[in-house]
Amino acid sequence: MSKLKIFVLLSVLFAAIVPTGTLRADTPTAGDLIEAVNALRVNNGLSAIPVDNALMSAAQTQADYLAVTCMQASCNGHIGAGGTYARDRAAAAGYSIAAGMNVVEAWAGRGSSASISDVIYKTWADEDHMGVMLNVDAVAVGAGVSVSEDGFTYYVLDVGVDYGSGGSGANVASTIPTTAVTAQVALVQVATPREDGAIVHIVGSGQALWNIAAAYGVTVDQIKDLNNLKSDIITTGQELVVQLAPTATETPLPTETPRAPTRTPIPAQTVQAFETATMQADQQGEKGVLGMDRQTMGLALILICGAGLALVVLGTMSKEKNKKQPPRQD
């Protein structure tokens, strides 16, 4: 029994035994997902991909499988029942895959509040997923949407690719480089900030919100909030505010802080300095006046006093002698 027959048998058993996911009234449909992906392609200068019923069946089968087996999107959503991949499931559903063809896939598991825009412009905003949606050689597409019991919605997008064909719109795709995401980001020329600091981007031909946001380093939601956009649809020539002018703030004037007075330290006198000063005073005291020591000065004072006393005695004796002489008679 071939691998293809085994997969078909497993798919039938899975559908018969395991209940498939359900869709709420407000859940986006597979058609909504394809419409949004084709709008993205048109905005990027690519043709819309035609829907293929076999790919629709394969994608829906995988979405139902994930809704039952994948707990809160914590699984490898590219692996299906029996370990199959997108190419196997598409062939089992009846999609004809010739030489040089393949089926590429993108999947996502999001909470109930997420929209298709969230899936495309957030979950699938990286280069690999954008490469699936913006593949220049895409020739057919199918999608599936299913809701699990824990409230997660699973999205599966299968794209048939005929490499080298230029896709379903060869006249347009031939001008787009193979790395679609890199090429589209490069098409966005960043605007120069205005005098007030605000940045306003003028939408160019083929530009979309996702590659404008990538060029300016912001998110799609930030651009939508700044411009009150209710959807991801933008038009050529439309002005989009990417950054608001910064709010001016008053710069406070510098205040002078008075310096606290500082005390000049007084050097402490050491015992050695005190002893030196005392010895110098004692030496000066011993030398006395005119450089004489105490003993010499004492002898000099005695001699001076003795001489003075002698002069006093001699003066007194001279006066007494003159009084005793009688007056002379002429």
Side-chain angles (χ1 to χ4, degrees), residues 110 117-126 130 219-221:
R110 296 295 301 265
S117 294
D118 294 329
V119 174
I120 294 177
Y121 296 104
K122 292 181 179 179
T123 307
W124 292 347
D126 60 283
M130 281 292 172
T219 64
V220 172
D221 287 340

Side-chain angles (χ1 to χ4, degrees), residues 101-121:
M101 295 183 63
N102 195 13
V103 176
V104 293
E105 184 179 70
W107 77 278
R110 296 295 301 265
S112 58
S113 62
S115 63
I116 287 182
S117 294
D118 294 329
V119 174
I120 294 177
Y121 296 104

Side-chain angles (χ1 to χ4, degrees), residues 32-44 108 110 114-127 129-130 133-134 206-214 218-224 230-234:
D32 295 332
L33 179 58
I34 293 176
E35 182 180 359
V37 170
N38 278 331
L40 172 67
R41 290 178 62 84
V42 171
N43 285 337
N44 285 274
R110 296 295 301 265
S115 63
I116 287 182
S117 294
D118 294 329
V119 174
I120 294 177
Y121 296 104
K122 292 181 179 179
T123 307
W124 292 347
D126 60 283
E127 184 173 351
H129 289 95
M130 281 292 172
M133 296 183 289
L134 299 178
Q207 295 179 0
L209 283 179
W210 73 268
N211 60 349
I212 295 174
V218 297
T219 64
V220 172
D221 287 340
Q222 287 175 329
I223 295 179
K224 292 174 69 175
K230 303 302 181 184
S231 68
D232 298 323
I233 299 175
I234 55 177

Side-chain angles (χ1 to χ4, degrees), residues 10-280:
L10 289 173
S11 298
V12 173
L13 292 174
F14 174 79
I17 298 174
V18 182
T20 59
T22 58
L23 290 179
R24 301 185 302 270
D26 58 344
T27 302
T29 65
D32 295 332
L33 179 58
I34 293 176
E35 182 180 359
V37 170
N38 278 331
L40 172 67
R41 290 178 62 84
V42 171
N43 285 337
N44 285 274
L46 297 170
S47 297
I49 313 173
V51 177
D52 183 270
N53 290 332
L55 291 179
M56 290 289 290
S57 177
Q60 187 60 54
T61 298
Q62 181 66 4
D64 291 339
Y65 175 78
L66 295 178
V68 175
T69 61
C70 192
M71 299 299 295
Q72 296 186 350
S74 58
C75 64
N76 185 349
H78 293 298
I79 302 177
T84 56
Y85 288 87
R87 181 187 176 94
D88 304 322
R89 294 189 293 271
Y95 183 69
S96 178
I97 304 177
M101 295 183 63
N102 195 13
V103 176
V104 293
E105 184 179 70
W107 77 278
R110 296 295 301 265
S112 58
S113 62
S115 63
I116 287 182
S117 294
D118 294 329
V119 174
I120 294 177
Y121 296 104
K122 292 181 179 179
T123 307
W124 292 347
D126 60 283
E127 184 173 351
D128 290 338
H129 289 95
M130 281 292 172
V132 173
M133 296 183 289
L134 299 178
N135 195 297
V136 297
D137 294 321
V139 294
V141 67
V145 179
S146 187
V147 180
S148 65
E149 292 184 357
D150 58 5
F152 268 68
T153 302
Y154 291 87
Y155 303 84
V156 176
L157 183 75
D158 286 340
V159 178
V161 178
D162 186 3
Y163 294 109
S165 67
S168 59
N171 58 332
V172 176
S174 61
T175 61
I176 306 297
T178 302
T179 309
V181 174
T182 303
Q184 295 307 313
V185 171
L187 289 176
V188 177
Q189 184 175 359
V190 177
T192 303
R194 297 181 175 180
E195 293 183 357
D196 60 356
I199 299 177
V200 178
H201 177 79
I202 300 177
V203 179
S205 177
Q207 295 179 0
L209 283 179
W210 73 268
N211 60 349
I212 295 174
Y216 286 95
V218 297
T219 64
V220 172
D221 287 340
Q222 287 175 329
I223 295 179
K224 292 174 69 175
D225 291 341
L226 288 174
N227 297 274
N228 297 319
L229 298 179
K230 303 302 181 184
S231 68
D232 298 323
I233 299 175
I234 55 177
T235 58
T236 302
Q238 181 178 353
E239 292 188 354
L240 295 177
V241 177
V242 179
Q243 175 181 297
L244 295 175
T247 304
T249 56
E250 295 184 359
T251 304
L253 296 176
T255 56
E256 296 183 358
T257 303
R259 297 180 60 182
T262 56
R263 297 179 59 186
T264 303
I266 300 175
Q269 294 185 357
T270 60
V271 176
Q272 182 178 359
F274 176 77
E275 292 178 351
T276 302
T278 304
M279 293 175 62
Q280 292 177 351

